Amino acid sequence: MFKSRGDSNIVYKCTVRLLEDTEILECEFHPSYKGKFLLEHVCQQLNLTETDYFGLRYVDANGQRHWLHLAKLILKQVKDASPILFSFRVKFYPPNALLLKEDVTRFQIYLQLKRDLLHGRLYCTANEAAMLGALIIQIELGDYDPNIHVGNYVTEMRLLLRQTDAIEARIQELHQEPVEGTPGGTGGVKGMSTQEAERTFLKIACQLDTYGVDPHPVKDHRGNQLYLGINHCGILTFQGSRKTHHFKWSEVHKINFEGRMFIVHLNYPEKKHTVGFKCPSGAACRHVWCCAIEQMLFFTLPSSSDACVYSGGGLFSWGTKFKYVGRTEREILERDGLLASRDSQDEGSSTGGKRKASSVPATPSTPMTGDFGYSSLPRSTHSAPLEESAIPGSNIPDGEACTGGCLLSGAAVDIALCDHFRTVSDDKTACAEYTRDSFEHSSTESGATTHATHVSHASQHADDWRPPALQPPPRPFSLLRAFVPSFLFVWLSLALGMLLLFETDWPLFRPLKRKPELVSLRHHYYAPLKEYLKKKVVELF
């Protein structure tokens, strides 16, 4: 479907689905347009000025979901898609949606949370689900009117993933009861204005554990099915519908991945800990890593200018590069006058200069507890392909079905999907943890075998005596002798390869030199190291 990029007159068409399933936008873009253009165009059509919380999501040919990168070409990201389809969604859920300046922004957040409730991502108890459902009815239909709202009118509206008769009856009761504080008020929603009902809905939703969580299916080291959630609070794990762990951003020291293993390095006051989660595929693991990095940077960095290129993956693999684009939460709050500027705080800082990638502060929405380093860091939806995450028998739109039945089988029912939750301790048997600090002891040898040689001192005639034939003792295995030569050989080979690549002009190496990864490697590492060594050699001679 794509033509040559050399023709600047070519225009590509795409469809953007909005938060209301019945609303779509037909957009056009040129091959040279980047993701930022399309997002700004959609936000302009919706009269949105607080655009930083939103993003465009798409699905690749393998069913893997992605967020459209704002700094990359649209065409390059969706080159295998036909037709080109995007979904406009909330990307960064604000910790307190009531602090948003524009009513239209809060309304879009409300629409997103309404979808989350419908598709089972926003878990809540039966009473909370009934209240949220009643608030939606109040927003959509207004005050209860017995002449208009007759019969079981709640059934006609899809509010929850699985609406039971009991929940619908309770929603109808709350919609008919006056709001508390009015004559005859019993805690219902009747009498609330649309804005009041919307604010109450947001207030309740923001306090739920699964607020802003898009569950990624993972497994722990025992093979137990878990769901990984990432939001402004940090990284959370769920077993069925129960939250089992919460790793705050202030506790996270490093995030990386190895193949299908998503790894979180934690830094507690008493010790360091490592937690690993196995993802369904390598692509899903890279996506979880990117989501975690992007969410963390948005809610923790003081300024987007402090962000640099982050990499993940194995030592001898290209890994994945990520560059954060856009404003951070702190910048938004400072712009809106809701947070004091950090300029006065930075003046007394002893660090000075530009903040490196190895230091990211705590989120502005939580108390500042110090900076923690990130030597390897990170958009959000499920990691599993669509066909794996579809809910059998449901008519949920494509791209919205929750993996594994979401965090619950019925958003309105306070029951868990799995067996009874098992309480786990914080020691090395904790759920989904790979305590690598304990592995260090298992790799050492407990002892060495000694071999003695015996020399006969029996009375022999001096002429007949010969030195005994001593057999050399077998050399015990040494991890040091096995590792050091291999380590030196690998690094010498890499150094020789770098010299040949960067210091020669062979035609064979020219395409490799133009690759972005090698350009970044040369600029950030090879050239500074070369200058440093040259300087030292000059000083010596």
Side-chain angles (χ1 to χ4, degrees):
M1 62 174 292
F2 298 118
K3 300 180 182 179
S4 173
R5 294 191 187 182
D7 189 354
S8 59
N9 295 324
I10 295 179
V11 175
Y12 295 90
K13 294 184 178 181
C14 66
T15 301
V16 179
R17 295 189 306 180
L18 303 181
L19 287 166
E20 290 281 7
D21 286 329
T22 57
E23 298 179 1
I24 61 172
L25 284 177
E26 298 292 342
C27 305
E28 296 180 348
F29 64 92
H30 290 279
S32 60
Y33 286 179
K34 296 183 178 180
K36 185 178 181 180
F37 162 80
L38 187 58
L39 178 61
E40 290 179 347
H41 175 74
V42 174
C43 291
Q44 185 179 6
Q45 299 299 313
L46 297 173
N47 296 321
L48 278 172
T49 57
E50 297 172 290
T51 62
D52 303 279
Y53 298 101
F54 302 93
L56 295 173
R57 200 171 61 198
Y58 67 95
V59 182
D60 63 18
N62 298 320
Q64 180 63 52
R65 293 171 178 169
H66 304 274
W67 287 104
L68 184 69
H69 200 284
L70 302 183
K72 296 181 180 180
L73 295 176
I74 302 174
L75 196 58
K76 186 176 180 180
Q77 299 181 66
V78 297
K79 56 185 177 181
D80 298 327
S82 179
I84 303 177
L85 178 64
F86 295 101
S87 296
F88 177 77
R89 299 292 182 260
V90 175
K91 188 176 184 180
F92 303 108
Y93 288 71
N96 188 355
L98 299 180
L99 295 179
L100 297 171
K101 292 179 63 178
E102 304 289 338
D103 291 338
V104 64
T105 311
R106 280 192 295 272
F107 181 69
Q108 294 296 325
I109 302 293
Y110 156 75
L111 291 178
Q112 178 67 71
L113 292 172
K114 178 184 170 184
R115 295 182 68 89
D116 294 344
L117 185 64
L118 174 61
H119 300 307
R121 290 188 292 270
L122 188 65
Y123 175 76
C124 52
T125 64
N127 290 333
E128 291 168 335
M131 176 55 71
L132 292 175
L135 290 168
I136 295 175
I137 295 292
Q138 182 68 17
I139 295 171
E140 307 268 334
L141 304 181
D143 284 339
Y144 171 73
D145 188 339
N147 297 323
I148 300 176
H149 308 128
V150 294
N152 192 6
Y153 57 92
V154 175
T155 308
E156 302 173 2
M157 303 184 66
R158 293 192 60 218
L159 306 174
L160 309 170
L161 183 61
R162 293 181 181 176
Q163 293 184 196
T164 63
D165 294 338
I167 290 293
E168 289 180 352
R170 181 55 183 159
I171 292 175
Q172 195 162 322
E173 290 176 5
L174 291 172
H175 184 230
Q176 296 173 4
E177 293 174 358
V179 65
E180 190 174 356
T182 59
T186 56
V189 299
K190 184 179 180 181
M192 281 189 181
S193 65
T194 301
Q195 286 191 346
E196 290 175 341
E198 184 181 301
R199 285 178 172 270
T200 305
F201 181 94
L202 294 176
K203 183 178 180 180
I204 296 175
C206 288
Q207 296 173 354
L208 299 176
D209 286 338
T210 53
Y211 170 74
V213 166
D214 220 344
H216 305 273
V218 296
K219 290 184 178 180
D220 65 7
H221 66 293
R222 295 191 184 94
N224 298 323
Q225 181 66 58
L226 302 175
Y227 295 97
L228 198 68
I230 307 164
N231 62 8
H232 67 278
C233 295
I235 301 175
L236 306 94
T237 60
F238 297 87
Q239 190 172 34
S241 58
R242 302 291 188 93
K243 182 175 72 172
T244 57
H245 289 85
H246 178 196
F247 309 124
K248 300 178 181 179
W249 290 129
S250 59
E251 301 169 348
V252 177
H253 171 66
K254 185 172 65 173
I255 304 174
N256 62 355
F257 68 94
E258 295 284 347
R260 295 167 58 187
M261 187 66 65
F262 174 71
I263 305 170
V264 182
H265 302 264
L266 302 169
N267 194 0
Y268 295 118
E270 63 276 6
K271 63 177 180 178
K272 293 184 179 180
H273 226 42
T274 302
V275 185
F277 304 95
K278 191 174 183 180
C279 299
S281 65
C285 189
R286 288 192 297 271
H287 177 63
V288 173
W289 177 79
C290 288
C291 290
I293 289 292
E294 197 164 21
Q295 290 283 327
M296 180 191 62
L297 296 181
F298 179 82
F299 290 109
T300 59
L301 276 186
S303 173
S304 57
S305 60
D306 295 334
C308 63
V309 177
Y310 300 95
S311 61
L315 177 63
F316 301 108
S317 66
W318 291 115
T320 299
K321 307 292 183 182
F322 182 84
K323 170 64 176 173
Y324 181 78
V325 178
R327 283 187 287 261
T328 65
E329 183 199 21
R330 176 171 290 276
E331 289 179 313
I332 299 171
L333 296 178
E334 290 177 353
R335 179 198 62 185
D336 297 340
L338 300 174
L339 193 66
S341 175
R342 287 176 58 93
D343 293 341
S344 58
Q345 302 176 19
D346 293 340
E347 290 177 359
S349 176
S350 59
T351 56
K354 183 177 178 179
R355 187 181 297 270
K356 302 296 183 181
S358 61
S359 180
V360 180
T363 169
S365 306
T366 58
M368 300 296 291
T369 58
D371 294 349
F372 292 85
Y374 292 79
S375 59
S376 175
L377 308 174
R379 302 180 275 209
S380 158
T381 54
H382 316 298
S383 299
L386 293 181
E387 50 266 34
E388 296 180 7
S389 60
I391 300 176
S394 68
N395 56 352
I396 296 175
D398 184 29
E400 293 297 333
C402 227
T403 307
C406 307
L407 298 179
L408 68 165
S409 58
V413 186
D414 188 19
I415 57 174
L417 286 179
C418 58
D419 296 336
H420 293 292
F421 170 69
R422 295 178 300 175
T423 303
V424 293
S425 61
D426 291 333
D427 60 6
K428 63 182 180 181
T429 61
C431 183
E433 292 187 347
Y434 291 89
T435 52
R436 297 194 174 179
D437 47 353
S438 64
F439 292 167
E440 297 175 359
H441 303 285
S442 63
S443 62
T444 59
E445 296 290 334
S446 59
T449 304
T450 60
H451 301 267
T453 59
H454 301 277
V455 180
S456 177
H457 295 285
S459 57
Q460 298 181 9
H461 195 277
D463 296 337
D464 297 335
W465 183 86
R466 294 188 302 271
L470 298 177
Q471 296 295 332
R475 297 174 63 183
F477 173 77
S478 173
L479 183 64
L480 188 64
R481 285 199 300 267
F483 173 75
V484 171
S486 302
F487 179 82
L488 293 176
F489 174 77
V490 170
W491 280 104
L492 287 175
S493 301
L494 288 175
L496 181 60
M498 291 297 101
L499 287 173
L500 291 175
L501 182 62
F502 293 136
E503 299 299 334
T504 62
D505 196 24
W506 291 356
L508 180 65
F509 293 151
R510 289 174 185 170
L512 289 175
K513 289 183 179 182
R514 292 193 292 267
K515 287 185 174 293
E517 295 87 352
L518 291 178
V519 173
S520 177
L521 177 64
R522 181 169 188 170
H523 177 72
H524 292 289
Y525 298 101
Y526 181 78
L529 180 60
K530 178 182 175 182
E531 292 298 325
Y532 174 78
L533 294 177
K534 185 186 297 184
K535 181 180 177 181
K536 290 299 181 182
V537 171
V538 171
E539 290 177 356
L540 289 176
F541 299 99

